[in-house]
Amino acid sequence: MIILPIKRKWYEMILSGEKKEEYREIKPYYKSRFKKVFSMYPYSFIPCGDDAHEVVFRNGYSRESPSFKALCSLDITTGREEWGAVPGVEYYTLTIK
């Protein structure tokens, strides 16, 4: 299982069901974390398949910070600006089921 800290605004939007995706930059840090949980093509670190796993979203970095678990799938897409993405930029996209 993977734990991802998120800002309160996004945390509350996901809990309310308004926000259906969470974005992470395509960088070595997230490549190494996501490949431990999700199926990815070797060397390219592009997600393959439609496997879903539990992800813990935590509002902050402390163990005592509020958190919840959600079933998510991983893909690479451009995100929605109203959900925090920069237009035209590709992200690792966690789709919340």
Side-chain angles (χ1 to χ4, degrees), residues 5 18 23 28 31-32 44 50 52 58 60 79 91 96:
E18 182 181 349
Y23 309 115
K31 288 178 185 180
S32 67
S44 67
D50 193 26
R58 183 180 289 160
Y91 295 93
I96 300 155

Side-chain angles (χ1 to χ4, degrees), residues 24 26 38 46-49 73-77 91-95:
R24 293 292 187 242
I26 300 174
F38 294 96
I46 296 172
C48 60
S73 60
L74 182 68
D75 201 358
I76 294 179
T77 65
Y91 295 93
Y92 280 122
T93 303
L94 290 154
T95 302

Side-chain angles (χ1 to χ4, degrees), residues 6-22 57 67-70 82-83 96-97:
I6 59 175
K7 292 182 179 180
R8 178 170 301 280
K9 176 182 179 179
W10 309 130
Y11 180 89
E12 290 174 356
M13 286 176 72
I14 291 171
L15 271 181
S16 73
E18 182 181 349
K19 185 177 180 198
K20 306 287 187 192
E21 298 176 339
E22 177 61 18
F57 293 99
S67 64
F68 65 90
K69 291 180 185 176
E82 63 269 22
W83 290 347
I96 300 155
K97 304 286 182 175

